[in-house]
Amino acid sequence: MVPQAAQEEATRLREELREHEYRYYVLDQPTISDAQYDGMMRQLQALEDAHPALRTADSPTQRVGGQPRSGMQTAPHSSAMLSLDNALNEAELRSFHSRVNELLGAAPFQYVAELKLDGLSLALRYRDGKLDVAITRGNGQQGEVVTENARTIGSIPLRAHLPSPGGALPPDFEVRGEVVMPRPAFERLNEQRDAEGLPLFANPRNAAAGALRVLDPAITASRRLDFYAYFLLVDGAPAFDSQWQCLEALATLGFKVNPQRRRCAGLPELLSAIQEWEALRPTLPYEIDGVVAKVDSRAQQDALGWTAKAPRWAIAFKYAASQAETLLERITVQVGRTGALTPVANLKPVVVGGVTVSRATLHNMDEIERLGIAAGDTVLVERSGDVIPKVVRVLALGDPREVFTMPTACPVCQGHVVREPGEVAYRCVNASCPAKLRESLLHFASRSVMDIDGLGEAIVDQLLHTALVRDVSDLYSLRVDQLEALERMGAKSAQNLVAQIEKSKQQPMPRVISSLGIRFVGERTAQFLAAAFPSMDALMAASEEDLQRAEEIGPKVARSIRDYLDDPHNRALVDRLRAAGLQFTFDAPPPKAMLEGVAGKTFVLTGTLPTMTRDDAKARIEEAGGKVTGSVSKKTDYVVAGDEAGSKLDKARTLGVPVLDEAGLLALLEGDAT
Ligand code: IVH
């Protein structure tokens, strides 16, 4: 039994924390300091640690994320998540408007105008007012279950502010909206990926999708996603009589609803909202790509109906990509963590879509050749949904113009530069090139890797300059007195940094794998590797063929891992990290193989299962040691039947073979069945 006092204290802390989260994430008006918030969170954590019975899924402590999963599950949507038709200019918007007018028989109607956020849509199901399941849009009919990841998004209430206004809403409902990655988080992530030698995300939408779909919720948490709600459904249908009421209700329930929302009585008002909001575009902390206009009244929405793809009562007006013309002054070269030399366009500063642009990546030599670009040329620069500006094409050749050639020596260390056959990138081959080391240290310390707070660029530069650090393992022997001697480093910060470095030893093995900076091995791949090889020794011993047995690892990645691990310098580094006390083993979710009740049993699948594809079901049965065959006989142990199961089901009944539905199969696979 939990003592009454502890119970009351936990309830009080939770209510206060929820209130402060709401003020911070949704209203953006915190009333206490971060330290006070952290203090309360720690108190609640301590109470829940002492009395685990107090811990509930909607407790603010649960935002840190549960255990990483070993695979993705899918689930069907309550009603299809369709898309929107686009209007690319005013004429197309006018023709949409005339069609609505006509279909509504010239009855008066209003629009609700909303920003079209450039993210990905997510459905959140609440049961008894609490967040129960989160599903990505997927193919519109079914999506991926990402509940644990969604819990880490601060602006998604784990518990809604019920009762709803006027008690109009039942406690089981669904909220749909857009997950976005705010611009600063996106920029930081891409900087980090650049340093890691990983391909950059083209836009925040892809980055948000990536962050939401990782297997480890702690990684989603580190990506600082945000959620804006725009639909409220009950049993798959709109819960209110108008879109406007729905937005108002969402706000009172504690969801973040975009402040840019407006009821427009006709086309002129809609056009002015579109125009006004375009001017806001550069000041918003996230990307938008247009304005969505929805017919407000639900009765009129129903009258207008849907096509197979989209509602006839809504349209997405898309803003044009912003472009500008400027001078390409110089092409310089940057050296990344993998030694790749990246050409960078240095532009005469120009305002594009409200943002001053002075640099753009040119990616590689192939891109420079494709564009036929040289310093001195006048070029067209574009920012669309993509935050990173890109050079679209050459508008006028410069006179004079200076054709770019890749340097043969590294611009940082003068090391040898080579281009491996079959690769686009040129690389500096000097293993101790300071540029590589600097980027490796920053990668190692970054939030989603070893998460060493306080180890930023300025400190890294000094550590390298003073030769206190020659590779990442040296971090673990740094002493407070050595750090205190650095510029702008007080006793307190030196102590903190040493403590942070010490703390990083507890980071789980997947992060240690990704800290090594092996090419093509980012967080997600590292997760799969650790799941397949739960100790560093097992990983080091794995052949290329072994490696390819891990989920999502193909020949290219396997090769790169082996290349890394076969290099004696790298092996020595791994040994030093082991000696420093990093986590070299991993408690993967228990292997399902040889599950009692499934192992050695023969299954026949028939009909369509509600959430799993037939291939998924087969894979899961085989993983657990079972066998799937095509026809039912006396030797069949189970028939798994979905919708429209035919003769195989009849035969099972005749032969008396036990029949399972999907839930029954899942129970068996989870070892719950007796
Ligand atoms: S309404 C059937 N409202 O745009 C109704 N969508 O092109 C579709 N989006 O998949 C959703 N902001 O991901 C709606 N205020 C907004 C939106 C919005 C962004 C996205 C959403 C949708 C896509 C449709």
Side-chain angles (χ1 to χ4, degrees):
M1 271 302 282
V2 181
Q4 176 92 12
Q7 201 142 11
E8 281 168 9
E9 180 66 358
T11 309
R12 183 189 69 80
L13 284 166
R14 260 181 220 153
E15 274 164 16
E16 275 202 44
L17 281 163
R18 270 190 204 114
E19 177 62 22
H20 290 301
E21 282 179 350
Y22 176 67
R23 286 172 199 257
Y24 183 90
Y25 290 110
V26 179
L27 303 179
D28 209 9
Q29 288 165 349
T31 48
I32 58 171
S33 69
D34 290 1
Q36 283 170 306
Y37 175 84
D38 289 345
M40 282 192 329
M41 184 67 99
R42 270 196 297 272
Q43 279 178 34
L44 178 59
Q45 189 81 59
L47 267 174
E48 290 181 350
D49 287 346
H51 310 286
L54 284 177
R55 192 169 290 135
T56 54
D58 65 334
S59 168
T61 58
Q62 299 308 296
R63 286 208 190 272
V64 286
Q67 287 301 308
R69 287 153 299 151
S70 57
M72 280 282 173
Q73 284 202 326
T74 57
H77 287 298
S78 58
S79 59
M81 286 181 85
L82 297 184
S83 103
L84 291 169
D85 284 335
N86 291 330
L88 299 180
N89 49 46
E90 199 178 310
E92 291 184 10
L93 187 65
R94 282 183 190 281
S95 82
F96 164 79
H97 180 70
S98 323
R99 200 172 65 231
V100 171
N101 237 325
E102 204 175 300
L103 291 171
L104 292 178
F109 69 93
Q110 292 200 312
Y111 289 116
V112 173
E114 297 167 23
L115 291 181
K116 184 168 189 302
L117 305 187
D118 199 5
L120 73 153
S121 42
L122 183 69
L124 303 171
R125 287 198 204 142
Y126 284 75
R127 186 192 282 261
D128 199 16
K130 293 176 207 145
L131 177 63
D132 187 33
V133 188
I135 311 172
T136 63
R137 174 167 170 223
N139 64 9
Q141 302 298 328
Q142 54 176 329
E144 284 178 329
V145 177
V146 292
T147 319
E148 292 310 311
N149 297 356
R151 274 188 209 292
T152 69
I153 301 177
S155 45
I156 295 184
L158 299 180
R159 174 197 276 253
H161 298 178
L162 283 170
S164 60
L169 193 71
D172 294 358
F173 56 89
E174 179 174 330
V175 172
R176 291 183 182 176
E178 200 80 353
V179 174
V180 292
M181 181 175 288
R183 232 190 285 255
F186 172 72
E187 278 157 15
R188 202 179 51 208
L189 173 64
N190 258 354
E191 273 164 25
Q192 188 186 318
R193 289 180 67 87
D194 198 23
E196 254 176 85
L198 292 169
L200 300 191
F201 284 114
N203 52 49
R205 174 175 14 88
N206 295 359
L212 197 62
R213 295 179 57 253
V214 288
L215 295 169
D216 182 355
I219 291 171
T220 315
S222 74
R223 297 285 167 82
R224 311 274 152 205
L225 298 174
D226 209 347
F227 178 80
Y228 286 88
Y230 50 65
F231 276 145
L232 185 49
L233 309 175
V234 173
D235 293 330
F240 287 87
D241 291 338
S242 74
Q243 173 64 8
W244 189 256
Q245 282 175 3
C246 154
L247 294 179
E248 301 283 286
L250 283 166
T252 15
L253 287 167
F255 289 86
K256 200 161 176 172
V257 180
N258 208 296
Q260 264 65 52
R261 53 180 188 271
R262 187 178 295 178
R263 255 187 302 197
C264 304
L267 196 58
E269 285 184 27
L270 178 57
L271 284 166
S272 38
I274 289 175
Q275 208 177 16
E276 279 172 43
W277 292 345
E278 184 162 23
L280 287 180
R281 217 175 159 185
T283 67
L284 298 171
Y286 41 77
E287 287 291 311
I288 59 167
D289 56 353
V291 170
V292 183
K294 303 175 182 170
V295 169
D296 189 26
S297 142
R298 186 179 161 200
Q300 289 179 323
Q301 290 179 0
D302 289 344
L304 290 161
W306 300 69
T307 67
K309 267 184 34 234
R312 282 199 201 87
W313 44 263
I315 189 97
F317 179 89
K318 292 283 195 91
Y319 289 131
S322 330
Q323 296 186 327
E325 179 179 325
T326 189
L327 175 71
L328 172 63
E329 290 177 333
R330 278 183 315 140
I331 298 178
T332 53
V333 171
Q334 246 176 14
V335 185
R337 186 178 49 77
T338 60
L341 269 53
T342 306
V344 177
N346 292 239
L347 305 161
K348 181 164 175 227
V350 63
V351 179
V352 193
V355 173
T356 304
V357 169
S358 56
R359 282 156 69 86
T361 171
L362 291 168
H363 302 289
N364 51 51
M365 205 57 211
D366 287 7
E367 175 72 358
I368 292 183
E369 281 160 13
R370 190 184 68 79
L371 291 167
I373 200 176
D377 291 351
T378 302
V379 296
L380 185 67
V381 184
E382 173 179 295
R383 285 181 68 245
S384 51
D386 306 356
V387 172
I388 303 179
K390 59 175 184 247
V391 177
V392 185
R393 62 172 183 274
V394 174
L395 294 174
L397 298 185
D399 180 22
R401 66 198 298 262
E402 193 188 329
V403 174
F404 175 80
T405 47
M406 218 21 127
T408 48
C410 168
V412 177
C413 72
Q414 313 312 315
H416 200 48
V417 169
V418 297
R419 183 182 206 174
E420 303 277 349
E423 280 204 10
V424 272
Y426 286 74
R427 279 172 213 286
C428 164
V429 292
N430 174 10
S432 43
C433 170
K436 286 193 204 176
L437 183 52
R438 179 178 190 270
E439 298 304 322
S440 322
L441 280 161
L442 291 171
H443 163 72
F444 190 86
S446 63
R447 210 179 192 133
S448 59
V449 183
M450 299 306 275
D451 193 16
I452 305 176
D453 203 20
L455 191 59
E457 295 192 14
I459 307 290
V460 163
D461 286 341
Q462 292 190 66
L463 290 174
L464 290 172
H465 191 66
T466 53
L468 279 172
V469 167
R470 277 172 308 262
D471 69 49
V472 291
S473 71
D474 288 339
L475 291 173
Y476 292 96
S477 39
L478 286 173
R479 297 188 316 265
V480 174
D481 61 298
Q482 292 172 318
L483 290 174
E484 261 177 15
L486 303 178
E487 267 170 54
R488 289 196 304 270
M489 182 63 109
K492 188 90 200 324
S493 355
Q495 275 162 18
N496 284 345
L497 184 52
V498 169
Q500 284 288 327
I501 293 173
E502 184 62 27
K503 198 181 87 188
S504 74
K505 292 181 183 171
Q506 298 314 317
Q507 293 294 353
M509 188 174 112
R511 289 188 181 227
V512 178
I513 298 176
S514 80
S515 82
L516 299 174
I518 304 172
R519 285 189 73 206
F520 312 123
V521 180
E523 294 144 15
R524 188 174 160 92
T525 309
Q527 282 282 342
F528 288 132
L529 283 171
F533 306 97
S535 73
M536 202 62 96
D537 289 330
L539 182 65
M540 308 264 288
S543 68
E544 269 178 59
E545 294 75 56
D546 294 340
L547 288 166
Q548 288 183 55
R549 275 184 222 123
E551 213 169 327
E552 290 191 9
I553 313 270
K556 185 175 87 173
V557 182
R559 179 87 268 231
S560 159
I561 298 169
R562 255 333 330 154
D563 280 350
Y564 180 94
L565 293 173
D566 287 340
D567 181 307
H569 296 100
N570 295 336
R571 293 184 83 88
L573 174 65
V574 172
D575 285 340
R576 286 195 293 277
L577 292 176
R578 184 198 302 267
L582 268 54
Q583 301 300 312
F584 270 43
T585 57
F586 184 55
D587 288 327
K592 298 240 175 67
M594 306 323 279
L595 198 67
E596 221 184 319
V598 181
K601 299 275 174 11
T602 304
F603 292 72
V604 173
L605 304 172
T606 176
T608 315
L609 300 176
T611 72
M612 299 169 103
T613 65
R614 202 138 357 146
D615 285 343
D616 287 343
K618 180 164 185 272
R620 295 215 32 201
I621 292 169
E622 288 172 350
E623 238 174 68
K627 205 166 95 184
V628 177
T629 65
S631 60
V632 182
S633 74
K634 273 192 295 202
K635 290 199 198 120
T636 309
D637 293 292
Y638 295 103
V639 166
V640 183
D643 276 354
E644 283 161 37
S647 61
K648 290 181 190 171
L649 179 57
D650 299 338
K651 186 149 182 206
R653 294 210 169 113
T654 325
L655 293 175
V657 175
V659 176
L660 299 173
D661 59 5
E662 185 187 86
L665 173 65
L666 287 172
L668 201 63
L669 289 169
E670 262 133 45
D672 296 345
T674 43

